[in-house]
Amino acid sequence: MKKWVKKLFFGLGILLVIILLANFGLNIWLKTQLPKYIKNNTDYKVSYKKIEVDLLSGNILATKISVNSKNPQNTNVIGLQGTIDTLKISRFGIYDALFNKQISSSDLLLSKPNLNIILAKPVDDKTGKKRNPVRFENIRINDGNISIFRHTKQKFLSVQDLYLYVENLQLTEKSVEDKLPVVFDAYTIKGKNFFIRPDNIYALKINSIKTSNGQMSIDNFQLVPVLDFEQFKKYFPKKNKLFQFNIKKIEFKDVVLKKNKVSLGNAVFYDPDLLVYTTNATPVKPKKPLNFELNLDNILLKNATVKIMKPNGNKLLYANELNAEISQLKFDKETRAEIIPVGYKDFKISGKDVLFSNHQDFTFGSIHLTPKKGEIRSISIAPNGAEQERTSMDLVADYIGFNINKWDFADKKMNLDVKDILLRRIKGKITAGTAKVKNTGKPDLNGIQFPIHIRKVVLQHSDITYEKNNQPLSFIDLNATINDIQLVSKKDHSGIETKIKKYVLSTRNFGYKTQFYNMTADFLKLDQSNIRVTNFAMKPRVSRSQFIKMIPVERDLYDITANQITANGNWDLFSAQKSINASNITIQNADANIFRSKIPKDDPKEKPLYSRMLRSIKIPMVVNHLMLKDSKLEYEEDTPKSAGPGKLTFSNFNMNVANLNSAKMKGKPTKVDIKINCSFMDMAPLSVNWGFDVADQGDNFTISGRTTNLPATGINPFIRPYLHVTATGTIQEMLFNFRGNPKGLNGKFNLKHKDLKVAILDKENKEKKGFLTAIANLLVKTDSGKLPEDVDVEDVERDPTKSFFNLFWKGIEQGLKKTLIGINIDKAKKTADKTVSTVKNVKQDVKEMKESAKEIGQAMKKTPEEKDPQKSQQKGKSDKEKKGFLKGIFRKKEKPETE
């Protein structure tokens, strides 16, 4: 054998002897001097009954150990106090313990430990000074009673009868600060009466925990506040939620605590009960987001109860018998940035007796939700009196269901595509709020990926009333189907715009009540290209006398019915770019009565002509043909002096309006042509042609018409109560052709009549005033002749506060005066002073004539003997004046002015 080999073996032998002697000596030293050394060189006092140390392996075995901190008030080191029946340490880092003051070991066994541990004061981030950590790769505790306190002596954690095995356990100050006081790779645990107080608000209590084959079971889990709600609001004014959480039992497996990550699988929560109190405090955004990740493989909640309370003590949310199944739930850095800060693969949620309350109470008998579909049954929505100024609903519904094609979140945006929504048997009332909408600026829509698609919405067999300003709009047996709905952001990002491609709506017993009217229809059906309404009625809710008392100025009162209204074409009534492009609108068998009283004051507002009114419609609108068929129109008017209302009747009324428009649709004609054919006063045919161009800013118009063979008695229902006059004879033909603008009208008028006579009645319209009747008939041309000439209707001035028809009637009136009486309007205007003088003379003559008639009557009662010469002279003078007056009248009749 070579010499160097012998030397090597010799050296190793000597080294082994030295190690054995050192190990023997160390054990003797540990037994006799270690407690003294620990006392002199560490912060602890330790005693034990037996200790054995293997210097080579670093294994330590000690029994009947007692440990105490030398200075319990020193918060810079971990405080220890208690006993350990048996301590076994494998591969203890003796060098680190002696020279670096770091306690580390690969394995630690504590048998029957009864310890109080006080955590060191957290590290000062400013100085960066770190405490000496305690690291154990593996730890086993048998039958332990352990309590851990914060450096403030506040209890942080305690457990009794603890049996624990943990692989790669790490307990550091940083883990405590991150809300993870321990991290490990694998574990088994069994214990009772767990207590954890993570902060100054909550305490966590658990009756027992045990594991078996990787399955953990927790009994009676409680998260309870350590102060009541009033104390919470007082001492934590910036926090807006206080939680209370009880769970009867929790089961799960495969728990992993590593750094800032918590993972577990197949968790089942039995009978969880969550109570949340909310305050009015504005939540404070944390300066630093939680560096915390949660991964839950499968989560199951059974028979949960959730209750969230408003600051005033009322319920905000309540759910009973809530069940939830969630797979692959996670909360991490990526999900934290999304709108919903948790991710999942799938979920199923169901519950009963669900209540949500804001300014209304939403109650659901049952609810079932998954990422792809949802069903809600026995729905009730009721006002709770919180905010009366907001829109409120008082509704019940049998069923609401929906199916979703896609619902996810990516790049901090929600992407939603709904396949269909079904609403069944909704009954009740929606009341619009009275508060004005506040302009709070543009809404934040950055979290939505537009467009949002809703492929189909179906509403079935519903009875809904919508009321605004005490005017209810009612739909009975309402059915609707809406297809291809898109919600898009407006171009100026001021809100959401709705686009709808196809829809169909039908309802029976439609009703709408206003202050004065009750509008109804037996049936209404509407889609994007057709409308049908049957048995429409617009009936006054008040009498005519009541109506007159209720209106401050003149106003029409309508009484309208129509057997059927139909329309076809295409229109967009829902998007921001609304439009109406109708081919035909037909109203059949309408019966309209229009009543106006002159008793209220005149309305001083300017009345625009129809072209301007159409031009003021904000949306593009074109109706190629508007037809009114086989209808009847009555107009009634009374004055304070009239004996009942005067009436005009237009029966067998047929009207065709071509190109009714708002002059806002490109490429469409703007000239409106109106043709009317009817029976005037049920006696004579009347035809009217009326036209104007909506695009004409000057609002020029033309109107012409013709009526024939009208008995004068036909106009008596109108002129008798209004003018206390009746007429006889025949209007053989009346022609008019006017053109005008907002200032007035001009044109031609032609009247062919025969045997025309009038009768003046008393105020009660009963007796004829013979004398005045005679005078009136002297003024009127009885016959026009076979070929009467046209008269010029000129410079008819419009009162801008009156309607178009008032101007039209003024034109007719001037034509009648020129034809029947022969008054030259132009000449009268040019010689205004002369006319005024003539009128005064006529009035004086009439006055004198009445006085003379009275005197004649008195004289006729006397005998000739009673007449004296003086009265005879007065009578002769009166007769002479009367003769002169009558002579002027006859001359006017025989030689009318036509200049």
Side-chain angles (χ1 to χ4, degrees), residues 142-159:
N142 293 333
D143 195 15
N145 296 307
I146 299 174
S147 295
I148 301 176
F149 298 85
R150 298 181 185 277
H151 71 283
T152 59
K153 306 301 189 293
Q154 183 187 74
K155 183 181 285 189
F156 172 62
L157 182 149
S158 66
V159 59

Side-chain angles (χ1 to χ4, degrees), residues 175-348:
S175 66
V176 173
E177 291 172 359
D178 284 345
K179 305 295 184 183
L180 289 177
V182 292
V183 294
F184 49 78
D185 290 341
Y187 73 98
T188 59
I189 185 172
K190 179 182 177 182
K192 296 180 181 179
N193 301 326
F194 284 82
F195 175 89
I196 300 174
R197 186 170 178 179
D199 53 28
N200 292 325
I201 302 176
Y202 299 105
L204 176 64
K205 299 178 181 180
I206 299 173
N207 280 7
S208 66
I209 299 177
K210 64 180 179 180
T211 60
S212 177
N213 299 321
Q215 183 79 21
M216 175 176 280
S217 178
I218 300 174
D219 289 335
N220 198 14
F221 175 97
Q222 299 178 64
L223 177 68
V224 294
V226 295
L227 56 150
D228 62 34
F229 187 50
E230 294 301 321
Q231 292 173 326
F232 172 76
K233 291 189 292 184
K234 179 180 179 180
Y235 295 113
F236 300 93
K238 294 184 178 181
K239 292 185 178 294
N240 66 333
K241 290 183 179 66
L242 179 67
F243 297 91
Q244 182 173 318
F245 202 8
N246 298 322
I247 306 175
K248 186 175 181 180
K249 187 175 183 179
I250 305 174
E251 293 179 344
F252 55 86
K253 69 175 183 178
D254 302 331
V255 175
V256 176
L257 301 178
K258 191 173 183 180
K259 295 184 179 180
N260 63 336
K261 182 177 180 179
V262 178
S263 300
L264 58 88
N266 298 329
V268 183
F269 299 83
Y270 296 91
D271 301 322
D273 188 349
L274 172 64
L275 175 61
V276 183
Y277 297 94
T278 62
T279 73
N280 292 318
T282 302
V284 179
K285 187 176 181 180
K287 296 180 180 179
K288 181 181 178 182
L290 292 174
N291 186 23
F292 180 76
E293 294 184 11
L294 177 66
N295 288 288
L296 307 176
D297 187 16
N298 292 299
I299 304 297
L300 184 62
L301 271 69
K302 291 187 174 182
N303 196 31
T305 300
V306 177
K307 187 186 295 182
I308 302 176
M309 309 300 294
K310 295 179 181 179
N312 61 6
N314 295 329
K315 292 178 182 177
L316 174 64
L317 175 67
Y318 175 80
N320 192 28
E321 295 185 38
L322 186 65
N323 295 279
E325 184 177 349
I326 308 172
S327 63
Q328 298 184 16
L329 179 69
K330 63 179 180 179
F331 173 82
D332 56 24
K333 188 180 295 184
E334 293 181 0
T335 63
R336 201 158 42 232
E338 299 295 343
I339 298 175
I340 296 180
V342 294
Y344 59 86
K345 181 180 179 181
D346 194 10
F347 67 81
K348 295 179 182 178

Side-chain angles (χ1 to χ4, degrees), residues 751-857:
L751 183 67
K752 184 179 179 181
H753 59 282
K754 185 178 180 180
D755 300 328
L756 188 62
K757 293 183 180 181
V758 297
I760 310 298
L761 307 178
D762 60 16
K763 292 183 179 181
E764 286 75 27
N765 284 338
K766 294 181 179 179
E767 296 183 4
K768 183 173 70 172
K769 295 183 177 182
F771 182 76
L772 293 179
T773 298
I775 297 300
N777 283 312
L778 291 176
L779 293 170
V780 175
K781 288 183 179 181
T782 303
D783 296 321
S784 62
K786 294 183 178 180
L787 296 172
E789 294 182 358
D790 290 345
V791 297
D792 292 327
V793 175
E794 296 181 304
D795 299 330
V796 178
E797 189 174 340
R798 177 176 180 252
D799 183 346
T801 66
K802 303 295 183 181
S803 68
F804 165 81
F805 292 103
N806 177 269
L807 174 62
F808 171 66
W809 176 250
K810 282 185 176 182
I812 297 292
E813 183 181 33
Q814 188 185 118
L816 287 170
K817 284 182 179 180
K818 282 192 172 184
T819 302
L820 298 177
I821 305 175
I823 298 175
N824 189 312
I825 302 299
D826 285 337
K827 185 176 180 180
K829 286 184 177 180
K830 292 177 182 178
T831 57
D833 294 337
K834 183 178 179 181
T835 303
V836 171
S837 177
T838 302
V839 170
K840 289 181 178 179
N841 292 334
V842 170
K843 288 183 176 180
Q844 183 64 32
D845 288 341
V846 171
K847 182 178 180 181
E848 292 175 353
M849 179 179 65
K850 288 182 177 179
E851 291 176 354
S852 298
K854 182 177 180 181
E855 291 172 357
I856 291 169

Side-chain angles (χ1 to χ4, degrees), residues 379-427:
I379 302 104
S380 174
I381 306 173
N384 56 25
E387 296 180 43
Q388 297 294 336
E389 294 182 347
R390 297 178 61 178
T391 296
S392 63
M393 294 180 284
D394 191 355
L395 301 170
V396 295
D398 285 357
Y399 177 85
I400 298 176
F402 58 85
N403 293 284
I404 296 176
N405 291 326
K406 184 179 182 181
W407 180 38
D408 59 24
F409 298 87
D411 300 326
K412 300 182 181 181
K413 289 182 179 290
M414 179 185 71
N415 194 336
L416 179 61
D417 187 335
V418 180
K419 181 180 179 182
D420 54 54
I421 300 174
L422 174 61
L423 304 97
R424 188 182 300 151
R425 297 188 185 280
I426 299 177
K427 299 182 183 296

Side-chain angles (χ1 to χ4, degrees), residues 597-615:
S597 174
K598 295 293 184 177
I599 295 175
K601 297 178 181 178
D602 288 343
D603 186 355
K605 294 180 181 178
E606 181 183 357
K607 309 299 186 301
L609 297 184
Y610 288 99
S611 53
R612 180 179 164 191
M613 292 172 64
L614 289 168
R615 198 164 55 247

Side-chain angles (χ1 to χ4, degrees), residues 553-833:
V553 294
E554 283 186 18
R555 187 172 174 180
D556 290 334
L557 181 66
Y558 300 94
D559 188 339
I560 301 172
T561 61
N563 286 354
Q564 183 168 274
I565 302 172
T566 59
N568 58 73
N570 57 79
W571 35 77
D572 183 353
L573 304 177
F574 298 99
S575 71
Q577 292 77 36
K578 296 179 177 62
S579 65
I580 297 174
N581 188 1
S583 300
N584 295 282
I585 297 178
T586 303
I587 304 172
Q588 293 183 330
N589 303 118
D591 189 339
N593 178 276
I594 304 171
F595 170 76
R596 170 164 289 211
S597 174
K598 295 293 184 177
I599 295 175
K601 297 178 181 178
D602 288 343
D603 186 355
K605 294 180 181 178
E606 181 183 357
K607 309 299 186 301
L609 297 184
Y610 288 99
S611 53
R612 180 179 164 191
M613 292 172 64
L614 289 168
R615 198 164 55 247
S616 66
I617 296 174
K618 296 182 179 180
I619 66 173
M621 181 203 71
V622 170
V623 179
N624 293 339
H625 295 283
L626 170 63
M627 290 172 284
L628 183 62
K629 294 183 177 181
D630 301 325
S631 299
K632 181 179 180 181
L633 172 64
E634 289 182 338
Y635 177 75
E636 297 185 65
E637 185 177 286
D638 70 349
T639 69
K641 295 181 180 180
S642 64
K647 181 184 291 187
L648 291 174
T649 302
F650 304 89
S651 56
N652 298 322
F653 194 92
N654 292 276
M655 180 176 69
N656 191 327
V657 182
N659 300 324
L660 189 67
N661 69 93
S662 62
K664 291 181 175 64
M665 192 170 290
K666 293 182 179 180
K668 295 290 185 178
T670 57
K671 190 175 186 304
V672 179
D673 291 314
I674 303 172
K675 297 184 184 299
I676 298 173
N677 289 284
C678 63
S679 175
F680 181 61
M681 304 302 286
D682 290 323
M683 292 183 178
L686 171 65
S687 61
V688 177
N689 292 322
W690 180 14
F692 51 83
D693 191 338
V694 181
D696 177 13
Q697 298 291 328
D699 291 319
N700 294 288
F701 66 86
T702 62
I703 184 166
S704 62
R706 177 177 183 264
T707 185
T708 60
N709 299 318
L710 173 64
T713 54
I715 62 174
N716 286 340
F718 183 76
I719 64 175
R720 178 171 183 150
Y722 189 56
L723 302 176
H724 306 291
V725 172
T726 61
T728 59
T730 303
I731 297 175
Q732 296 171 311
E733 183 179 49
M734 182 177 71
L735 299 170
F736 58 88
N737 190 347
F738 301 148
R739 61 189 179 279
N741 55 46
K743 294 182 179 180
L745 62 74
N746 299 273
K748 298 289 185 179
F749 182 85
N750 188 290
L751 183 67
K752 184 179 179 181
H753 59 282
K754 185 178 180 180
D755 300 328
L756 188 62
K757 293 183 180 181
V758 297
I760 310 298
L761 307 178
D762 60 16
K763 292 183 179 181
E764 286 75 27
N765 284 338
K766 294 181 179 179
E767 296 183 4
K768 183 173 70 172
K769 295 183 177 182
F771 182 76
L772 293 179
T773 298
I775 297 300
N777 283 312
L778 291 176
L779 293 170
V780 175
K781 288 183 179 181
T782 303
D783 296 321
S784 62
K786 294 183 178 180
L787 296 172
E789 294 182 358
D790 290 345
V791 297
D792 292 327
V793 175
E794 296 181 304
D795 299 330
V796 178
E797 189 174 340
R798 177 176 180 252
D799 183 346
T801 66
K802 303 295 183 181
S803 68
F804 165 81
F805 292 103
N806 177 269
L807 174 62
F808 171 66
W809 176 250
K810 282 185 176 182
I812 297 292
E813 183 181 33
Q814 188 185 118
L816 287 170
K817 284 182 179 180
K818 282 192 172 184
T819 302
L820 298 177
I821 305 175
I823 298 175
N824 189 312
I825 302 299
D826 285 337
K827 185 176 180 180
K829 286 184 177 180
K830 292 177 182 178
T831 57
D833 294 337

